[in-house]
Structure formats: structure tokens, C-alpha cells
Amino acid sequence: MRLGVLDVGSNTVHFLVVDAHPGARPLPAFSTKEELRLAELLDADGAITEDGVHRLVATVAAAMRVAEDKGVEDVLPFATSAVREAANGEAVLRRVQQETGVALRVLSGQDEARLTFLAARRWFGWSSGRLLVLDIGGGSLEIACGVDEQPDVAVSLPLGAGRLTSTLLPGDPPEPEDVRQVRRRIRAEIARVVGDVSRLGPADHTVATSKTFKQLARVTGAARSEAGPFVPRRLTKAGLEEWVPKIAAMAVAERARIPGVSEGRARQLLAGALVADATMDLFGLTEVDICPWALREGVILRRLDMMTEAGTGSGDA
């Protein structure tokens, strides 16, 4: 069947069309995204502004037109931290449904971590053993670890690259003292959960997902995206440590000229690098493998699993 996944994230609204059926790898058929940066379209009370809501409604409506044009049979719409934590989140959800007919499912931070973990597990397989998965989004950092398809621990921290940039790194480039303050805050937040993960024992394989980790890997020498998803990519702690001070000293326009850094994400690159550096340091990681699959694929895989379970339960072959 042809499925559509509508991901309303803190940075982008991404609509992915895949051809999928139980037991097979989902095959991407079409993808479109709009960089709304909802996490930055907030008023003083933490509510998404009227302009932000209007743009979100228009983007969701456009995605539904694409779904019709592409022959999508079913759409899986969800929203993450930007809507989840907005002061007017419930009103935004009602507005989207009233004007587009789309009922966005709001995922909790733990849901995000679990579904991303599932995607990484399916990509790398059981040979990875105890798997540690890291994901830096626009609004939050997800960490999950376990030996099965459901992680034994899944946590979400308010350390997204967009959130930190808009609230704590206003300068271009930011003031060194602001960078130090953000670095301290990031490390204090992550340190609180290190013990919850470490008590499970050392990970056999650590992987990272998300655009932020992919861009950082590219900056430090990984293969271009045009090389395809099956080319191994890795982010090293040494490479990251070399680049963090360079990125901190750059203006946004300079960051956008780094190979692999998109113009829309250049402003958030420093915050993402600080979170990645802190996570790798506090968990004692020298390198992480980059996983092409992440939350969207996890949503698709969970849906296919449910279809299989329903078929089995009804006696179908």
C-alpha cells in the first residue's frame, strides 16, 4: 500500500510518501518539506503565533493535496515538541483539524524516543546487540537504549537545536559567554539521565539519527547525501571537538557555506554541535554511526506491525 507520513516537527513539516507492506522495507516514493521553524514562531507566553498557525494550516493542506495527487491510501499525521509544548497547542490542533480535516497525533517525548529506536533497530538489526540511539531534533534530544525492539529506557530532554538557539544563543555569532552558559546547561541536563542509561550496561553499538547529526557528520568528513543511504557514515568525537570552536566563531552566513550545511539549518548548527559533543562526552563515546532511518520510519514500521498483528489475530495468512 502507499502510505503518507506527515511529520510536524519543530523545524520542518515533512511529508513522506512510501510504498510499504508488512515484511518488506518501506520504499520512499516522494518527499516534500517546508521549513516553518515552529519552535521559533512563539510569542512571549510560549504560544505559536497567529502567523505560525496560519502557515502550519496552509502547509498541512498542501501536503494533503500531494497525498491525493500521489495516490496515498492512508496518511499518518503526527506532531512533536513544538506543538506538544506550545501554550496554545490544543487550540492549534483544533484549528488544523477544522481547516484541513487532519487530526494530528501529538507524540510524547518518550514516544519519539521509542519509535526512533525501533527504526534504528530495524536498520542495523539484531547483530547490534545492546543499542544506544541518540536523536537531536529542533525541540528536544531523545535518548533510548535496549536489547529488543522496544528500548529498556527512553528519555526526552528539552535540548533541541532550534529551542536552544532561539532562546539562548541570540548573537550572530553568539557571545562566548552565552556559548559557555548554554554548554553548562546542556551538560547538566544530560548528566541527570546518564545513570539511567548506564545502569543497563555498556552499549554494543551507538547510533545517531536526525538532520543535525547527519550534518555534523558531513561537516567532519562523512559522505555526501547524494551517495545514498547505504554508504556508512560516522561522526567522531575528535572531529566534533575540532569543529565546535570553529562553528562558534562563525556567523550564520559563514556556516551556511560549509559543505553539507543547509541555509535553513545554519543558525542551529552550533547548538546542535554542543548537544552532540556533550552527549558523546558524557556517555564516553568516541564515535557514533549515522542511521538513515529515524522517527518517520519508526511511525511507518509501527503501523505495518499493527497491520500484521491485526491480520494474524483475524486468522488471515
Side-chain angles (χ1 to χ4, degrees), residues 308-316:
T308 300
E309 292 164 5
T312 300
S314 64
D316 294 341

Side-chain angles (χ1 to χ4, degrees), residues 157-159 184-194 282:
L157 300 174
L159 298 175
R184 283 196 288 268
R185 173 170 175 170
I186 290 169
R187 287 172 177 260
E189 288 271 3
I190 295 172
R192 295 191 184 105
V193 303
V194 169
L282 292 170

Side-chain angles (χ1 to χ4, degrees), residues 34-46:
E34 183 73 22
E35 289 192 348
L36 292 189
R37 292 194 282 275
L38 284 177
E40 299 178 26
L41 298 177
L42 303 175
D43 62 21
D45 297 320

Side-chain angles (χ1 to χ4, degrees), residues 42-61:
L42 303 175
D43 62 21
D45 297 320
I48 298 174
T49 63
E50 175 59 28
D51 176 59
V53 177
H54 176 76
R55 291 168 60 187
L56 175 59
V57 168
T59 303
V60 170

